[in-house]
Amino acid sequence: MTDKKTNADVTAKYKKYLFGSTATYYADPVALESGKGGRVRDFDGKEYLDFFGGILTISVGHANEKVNAAVRAQMERLGHVSTVYPTLPIADLAEKLVHLAPGKMEKAFFCASGTEADETAVALAQAHTGRQELIALRHGYSGRSLLAQSLTGHAKYRIIPTQVAAIKHAHAPYCYRCPFGLTYPSCNLKCADDVEELIQTTTMGQIAGAIVEPIMGVGGFITPPEGWMKRFVDVIRKYGGVFIADEVQTGFGRTGGKMWGIEHEGVQPDVMTMAKGIANGYPISAVITTAPIADAWKGGNISTFGGNPISCAAANATIDQIVDDKLVENAAVMARLLREGLEALKAKYTVIGDVRGKGLMQGVELVKDEKGGDRTPAMEATGRLFEETKKRGMLVGRGGLYNNILRVAPPLVVGRRDIQDALQILDDSFAAVSK
Ligand SMILES: Cc1ncc(COP(=O)(O)O)c(C=O)c1O
């Protein structure tokens, strides 16, 4: 008798005891047993190139030695106290984040998930302005709480009707499927201008703010065209709103060349939310803002798990490594190689309609026949492509309203060889799907 578990054993138990709604990829899910650097291994011993990194969370590679050492040391010293007691890891992390953030950010608050960070940011915008009404984007994603489900612009992530009447959803800057049927740049950014009419017609005329992802992650890496963000944010500010940049996916160098996604846009946020890549997988999220906005939170404020010393130690070690090893720059260099390869695949396979994104956050939208002018979302082909990449030892993410978009997002430590291998696997997989 051996107690060695297989993928099937682990998956059977997972399916038996977790909520049936818990999403997994692939007909037979990949049950992961271990990981190192840019690779993970399943319970059947098969190795995969990990180009999704626990949903854009593994910044510096699986089982990173420096992060592990920091976690181990903190674990031996002090495991948990809550935000009621100051600890050095949380104070260090707050200092680090306000210095890394663009503009005049002075204050941080820590929670345990991206959802809670977004909730905190919205509450701050409302408390600071004394107003309730909020602009979110169609195709956006903010998380699982009732407020976050209401902010989210996808029916499939709502299990009950929207609960918050004060949220108005503006059009997304989704050029490939322009909501106005226009083409950039002759559209003159109509989708950004439209938010003015949205505010004038569906709110009291003054708003609390807007929450925007610099690149829309779950939405399928929808990347605003140049100039959109500034135009959009100008309108938000004209109507008294606080601008919240949701950097949960785009933060910590993910977009290449800049620490934050919003820095590509020449716009200063009033509030930033962050999670995922901050601590290489340890659960922690943060809200960073100016002192006047932070001070608008007048009530008591506790987060039991927020700023847990172990998660903070992991975040400090992760961020130090991103800075010291110049991983933001590495992301930009590797992204050029990745993007070039993906564009070459687009030229080769008509099932690829669009390649978009920044840095190591590249989306590939699958359609029926791009060259034949049929942009019907190719959900079935996306499913087959997933099985083909899995067979060849590569993990990628899936997203978009129609679930027809590949999310290609390796760790920031990715090297040339892994990018080349991934592109070869994608090429072979697209060839198999295109037969
Ligand atoms: C942009 C964005 N905001 C918020 C969230 C919610 O984060 P969490 O799943 O940690 O609650 C996510 C999760 O994918 C996200 O992508």
Tab-separated table of all heavy atoms in Angstrom, residues 113-115 118 141-143 213 218 246 248-249 276, ligand 1:
chain	number	residue	atom	x	y	z
A	113	SER	N	-7.499	40.322	0.932
A	113	SER	CA	-7.810	39.955	-0.462
A	113	SER	C	-8.053	41.208	-1.291
A	113	SER	O	-8.334	42.286	-0.738
A	113	SER	CB	-9.078	39.094	-0.510
A	113	SER	OG	-10.194	39.885	-0.131
A	114	GLY	N	-8.000	41.036	-2.599
A	114	GLY	CA	-8.282	42.143	-3.511
A	114	GLY	C	-9.688	42.678	-3.310
A	114	GLY	O	-9.924	43.887	-3.380
A	115	THR	N	-10.620	41.779	-3.065
A	115	THR	CA	-12.010	42.186	-2.832
A	115	THR	C	-12.094	43.193	-1.687
A	115	THR	O	-12.719	44.247	-1.810
A	115	THR	CB	-12.857	40.944	-2.465
A	115	THR	OG1	-12.777	40.001	-3.529
A	115	THR	CG2	-14.302	41.307	-2.204
A	118	ASP	N	-10.683	46.591	-2.589
A	118	ASP	CA	-11.609	47.380	-3.411
A	118	ASP	C	-12.765	47.915	-2.565
A	118	ASP	O	-13.195	49.054	-2.729
A	118	ASP	CB	-12.135	46.544	-4.589
A	118	ASP	CG	-11.097	46.415	-5.709
A	118	ASP	OD1	-10.009	47.024	-5.595
A	118	ASP	OD2	-11.369	45.707	-6.700
A	141	TYR	N	-13.688	43.679	-13.106
A	141	TYR	CA	-13.816	42.657	-12.062
A	141	TYR	C	-13.281	43.225	-10.758
A	141	TYR	O	-12.190	43.778	-10.707
A	141	TYR	CB	-13.044	41.386	-12.425
A	141	TYR	CG	-13.281	40.275	-11.412
A	141	TYR	CD1	-14.415	39.481	-11.472
A	141	TYR	CD2	-12.368	40.044	-10.381
A	141	TYR	CE1	-14.644	38.483	-10.531
A	141	TYR	CE2	-12.591	39.044	-9.442
A	141	TYR	CZ	-13.736	38.267	-9.521
A	141	TYR	OH	-13.972	37.280	-8.601
A	142	SER	N	-14.069	43.062	-9.691
A	142	SER	CA	-13.643	43.582	-8.386
A	142	SER	C	-13.672	42.540	-7.284
A	142	SER	O	-13.254	42.836	-6.168
A	142	SER	CB	-14.532	44.768	-7.972
A	142	SER	OG	-14.321	45.854	-8.838
A	143	GLY	N	-14.218	41.353	-7.545
A	143	GLY	CA	-14.158	40.323	-6.516
A	143	GLY	C	-15.493	39.708	-6.176
A	143	GLY	O	-16.465	39.818	-6.923
A	213	GLU	N	-9.475	49.304	-13.635
A	213	GLU	CA	-8.233	48.518	-13.757
A	213	GLU	C	-7.439	49.086	-14.940
A	213	GLU	O	-7.998	49.199	-16.030
A	213	GLU	CB	-8.554	47.057	-14.068
A	213	GLU	CG	-9.433	46.353	-13.071
A	213	GLU	CD	-10.062	45.095	-13.681
A	213	GLU	OE1	-9.356	44.124	-13.943
A	213	GLU	OE2	-11.284	45.110	-13.910
A	218	VAL	N	-9.689	40.079	-15.526
A	218	VAL	CA	-10.669	39.015	-15.747
A	218	VAL	C	-11.427	39.269	-17.059
A	218	VAL	O	-11.841	38.341	-17.749
A	218	VAL	CB	-11.632	38.930	-14.533
A	218	VAL	CG1	-12.789	37.991	-14.798
A	218	VAL	CG2	-10.863	38.494	-13.280
A	246	ASP	N	-7.389	50.241	-9.661
A	246	ASP	CA	-7.327	48.873	-9.134
A	246	ASP	C	-6.117	48.191	-9.772
A	246	ASP	O	-6.156	47.766	-10.917
A	246	ASP	CB	-8.624	48.132	-9.468
A	246	ASP	CG	-8.600	46.682	-8.984
A	246	ASP	OD1	-7.497	46.155	-8.737
A	246	ASP	OD2	-9.681	46.072	-8.885
A	248	VAL	N	-4.723	45.458	-8.714
A	248	VAL	CA	-4.642	44.087	-8.193
A	248	VAL	C	-3.914	43.178	-9.189
A	248	VAL	O	-3.093	42.341	-8.789
A	248	VAL	CB	-6.049	43.556	-7.842
A	248	VAL	CG1	-6.031	42.051	-7.595
A	248	VAL	CG2	-6.587	44.283	-6.605
A	249	GLN	N	-4.176	43.336	-10.481
A	249	GLN	CA	-3.464	42.506	-11.468
A	249	GLN	C	-2.263	43.239	-12.063
A	249	GLN	O	-1.259	42.620	-12.399
A	249	GLN	CB	-4.419	42.081	-12.594
A	249	GLN	CG	-5.519	41.153	-12.118
A	249	GLN	CD	-5.992	40.137	-13.156
A	249	GLN	OE1	-5.388	39.917	-14.202
A	249	GLN	NE2	-7.094	39.489	-12.848
A	276	LYS	N	-2.621	40.231	-5.149
A	276	LYS	CA	-1.953	39.264	-6.023
A	276	LYS	C	-0.418	39.294	-5.974
A	276	LYS	O	0.181	38.689	-5.108
A	276	LYS	CB	-2.461	39.442	-7.455
A	276	LYS	CG	-3.940	39.033	-7.604
A	276	LYS	CD	-4.306	38.825	-9.038
A	276	LYS	CE	-5.802	38.686	-9.276
A	276	LYS	NZ	-6.355	37.409	-8.863
B	1	LIG	C1	-8.608	43.621	-10.773
B	1	LIG	C2	-9.074	42.782	-9.636
B	1	LIG	N1	-9.609	43.363	-8.557
B	1	LIG	C3	-10.037	42.650	-7.502
B	1	LIG	C4	-9.951	41.271	-7.502
B	1	LIG	C5	-10.408	40.479	-6.320
B	1	LIG	O1	-9.323	39.940	-5.672
B	1	LIG	P1	-9.462	38.659	-4.693
B	1	LIG	O2	-9.777	37.493	-5.550
B	1	LIG	O3	-8.116	38.592	-4.036
B	1	LIG	O4	-10.545	38.992	-3.724
B	1	LIG	C6	-9.389	40.618	-8.604
B	1	LIG	C7	-9.273	39.144	-8.637
B	1	LIG	O5	-9.025	38.533	-9.636
B	1	LIG	C8	-8.963	41.389	-9.703
B	1	LIG	O6	-8.440	40.816	-10.788
